Amino acid sequence: MLEASPTTYELSSSLEGATPDAVLQRLLETSWSDRHDACVGFRYRLDIERERVAEGRFGFVILLNQKRLTERRQPYEFLLDTPFDASRFNFTRIDPAEIQLELCGPFPTTILINNSPVTVYHSLVVPDRQGQHSQVLTPAGIRVPFELLIRLPDRRYRIGYNSPGAQASVNHLHLHLLRIDTDLYVQHTELIPVRGIPMVHRLPNHLPAQGYCFVVRDPIRDLEPVCAGLRKLIGMLMEREMAHNLFWTWSHLEQGVEIRAFVFPRAKQCANKMACSFNTAFLELCGFVSVGEVSDYEQLTEDSIVQALREAQGDVYGTLGDLCAAGSSVDDGGSH
């Protein structure tokens, strides 16, 4: 039996002494599973029909989930500077049964089911839901993913974000929380320090995606400057009208060694007019590809995926030439 109202849960206001919070994870998982099993709010029961790893050096994970293509809500078109529009679908208008948790604390955040899930426990993270922010990252939107990953005991949880013009489908600030059971190439790739910008690294040229990475090894020491750096970089991208995707992940799933926060700028915005089988968003850029057509599942190769990612991003390093100067001797052409 589902509860009549979502659970409210208090997050500690400080990371001092913060430890993995098994209660928080249990609440997230049971609230998702209860709704999924009872078919409350979901457009379909999650059914990964087939799964494989593409041959090659990057280990792209490819899943077939036809219902996500046929049953999901159709996205509507909007670009980076589109203001919030209360007359269009937004997360203040959802069925209350879709709300899993209300997280209280320094960054009030609502956790919703994603009613068209890609993986188990796929949820939406909506900072300050009643504030009705457009799909542009706020300081809270940058900070909350770190707060959640630090507290969830299971290191398989990841968080992603698509900006307007980069496959976002709803113009109301939200991020995606989901569990991915497989290692992705971005967790282990070498990172090249960017000269003159503390704590910023870029991805080597030989990787499928172009982007930047911030690393948190000691949350007490690193989190504030990393969040400040992310705010600065995203602000710069917004000034240049460059869409972007972000991805937060632990680098090691067995041990909490470091959190990597990736920023994937796009040299051109895309108009998200309709759902299609193979999108290029934060998951695909990081090596996790969910498709909705059998032909795509069977025919996609590492080369075709890499080509699609590079076409979607454009020449990011050429566009952001002032950011991509490497400041170390890391081999920029080696293999993964």
Side-chain angles (χ1 to χ4, degrees), residues 143-163:
R143 175 75 178 236
V144 164
F146 293 106
E147 298 276 350
L148 287 174
L149 291 188
I150 289 168
R151 288 173 169 82
L152 292 172
D154 192 333
R155 303 307 192 193
R156 293 175 293 176
Y157 278 100
R158 331 294 176 97
I159 296 177
Y161 163 84
N162 300 317
S163 84

Side-chain angles (χ1 to χ4, degrees), residues 316-332:
V316 169
Y317 292 155
T319 303
L320 294 172
D322 52 333
L323 258 186
C324 67
S328 78
S329 60
V330 174
D331 181 6
D332 197 15

Side-chain angles (χ1 to χ4, degrees), residues 301-323:
T301 64
E302 177 175 279
D303 287 345
S304 63
I305 294 170
V306 170
Q307 180 180 355
L309 298 182
R310 291 179 174 168
E311 288 178 354
Q313 272 199 289
D315 183 11
V316 169
Y317 292 155
T319 303
L320 294 172
D322 52 333
L323 258 186

Side-chain angles (χ1 to χ4, degrees), residues 149 153 155 216-217 219 250-259:
L149 291 188
R155 303 307 192 193
V216 171
R217 296 184 177 88
W250 287 97
S251 60
H252 298 271
L253 302 187
E254 297 300 324
Q255 305 174 10
V257 176
E258 64 186 29
I259 295 177

Side-chain angles (χ1 to χ4, degrees), residues 257-323:
V257 176
E258 64 186 29
I259 295 177
R260 292 182 167 191
F262 292 92
V263 181
F264 300 101
R266 300 169 80 115
K268 55 185 179 182
Q269 298 186 45
C270 66
N272 195 21
K273 294 182 179 179
M274 61 180 295
C276 60
S277 176
F278 174 37
N279 290 316
T280 302
F282 71 83
L283 280 174
E284 291 75 17
L285 289 162
C286 293
F288 191 86
V289 179
S290 176
V291 298
E293 294 182 355
V294 174
S295 59
D296 284 333
Y297 176 82
E298 293 177 342
Q299 296 171 16
L300 280 174
T301 64
E302 177 175 279
D303 287 345
S304 63
I305 294 170
V306 170
Q307 180 180 355
L309 298 182
R310 291 179 174 168
E311 288 178 354
Q313 272 199 289
D315 183 11
V316 169
Y317 292 155
T319 303
L320 294 172
D322 52 333
L323 258 186

Side-chain angles (χ1 to χ4, degrees), residues 57-326:
R57 53 181 176 163
F58 301 117
F60 282 99
V61 180
I62 305 175
L63 308 179
L64 176 63
N65 179 356
Q66 296 184 79
K67 290 183 178 178
R68 180 165 167 81
L69 175 61
T70 59
E71 304 298 328
R72 68 176 295 191
R73 180 189 300 112
Q74 285 292 325
Y76 58 83
E77 183 179 353
F78 58 102
L79 293 178
L80 199 57
D81 58 354
T82 304
F84 181 89
D85 182 351
S87 70
R88 306 197 76 166
F89 173 79
N90 66 81
F91 299 120
T92 67
R93 300 168 61 177
I94 60 166
D95 185 331
E98 297 183 32
I99 302 174
Q100 297 173 241
L101 291 173
E102 294 285 4
L103 301 180
C104 302
F107 308 100
T109 299
T110 305
I111 308 294
L112 312 172
I113 62 166
N114 186 320
N115 62 16
S116 303
V118 175
T119 73
V120 67
Y121 307 132
H122 187 175
S123 304
L124 300 180
V125 178
V126 186
D128 187 23
R129 181 167 63 103
Q130 298 301 332
Q132 301 186 355
H133 304 281
S134 67
Q135 181 63 356
V136 173
L137 281 172
T138 62
I142 291 169
R143 175 75 178 236
V144 164
F146 293 106
E147 298 276 350
L148 287 174
L149 291 188
I150 289 168
R151 288 173 169 82
L152 292 172
D154 192 333
R155 303 307 192 193
R156 293 175 293 176
Y157 278 100
R158 331 294 176 97
I159 296 177
Y161 163 84
N162 300 317
S163 84
Q167 297 293 344
S169 60
V170 177
N171 193 24
H172 187 173
L173 178 58
H174 66 286
L175 304 95
H176 295 258
L177 171 69
L178 63 173
R179 200 187 78 184
I180 298 175
D181 297 343
T182 308
D183 281 355
L184 305 175
Y185 79 88
V186 292
Q187 294 169 234
H188 309 297
T189 184
E190 66 271 31
L191 299 172
I192 303 172
V194 173
R195 183 182 299 116
I197 306 179
M199 310 191 82
V200 182
H201 307 76
R202 75 168 176 88
L203 277 63
N205 291 337
H206 72 277
L207 293 186
Q210 296 185 355
Y212 303 91
C213 183
F214 293 78
V215 179
V216 171
R217 296 184 177 88
D218 178 349
I220 303 302
R221 179 194 66 202
D222 299 340
L223 191 51
E224 289 296 342
V226 161
C227 287
L230 277 166
R231 291 195 299 270
K232 182 176 180 179
L233 176 56
I234 292 168
M236 186 198 72
L237 296 177
M238 293 294 295
E239 289 175 359
R240 301 185 187 197
E241 298 183 348
M242 293 182 69
H244 43 280
N245 308 90
L246 275 74
F247 188 67
W248 290 257
T249 182
W250 287 97
S251 60
H252 298 271
L253 302 187
E254 297 300 324
Q255 305 174 10
V257 176
E258 64 186 29
I259 295 177
R260 292 182 167 191
F262 292 92
V263 181
F264 300 101
R266 300 169 80 115
K268 55 185 179 182
Q269 298 186 45
C270 66
N272 195 21
K273 294 182 179 179
M274 61 180 295
C276 60
S277 176
F278 174 37
N279 290 316
T280 302
F282 71 83
L283 280 174
E284 291 75 17
L285 289 162
C286 293
F288 191 86
V289 179
S290 176
V291 298
E293 294 182 355
V294 174
S295 59
D296 284 333
Y297 176 82
E298 293 177 342
Q299 296 171 16
L300 280 174
T301 64
E302 177 175 279
D303 287 345
S304 63
I305 294 170
V306 170
Q307 180 180 355
L309 298 182
R310 291 179 174 168
E311 288 178 354
Q313 272 199 289
D315 183 11
V316 169
Y317 292 155
T319 303
L320 294 172
D322 52 333
L323 258 186
C324 67

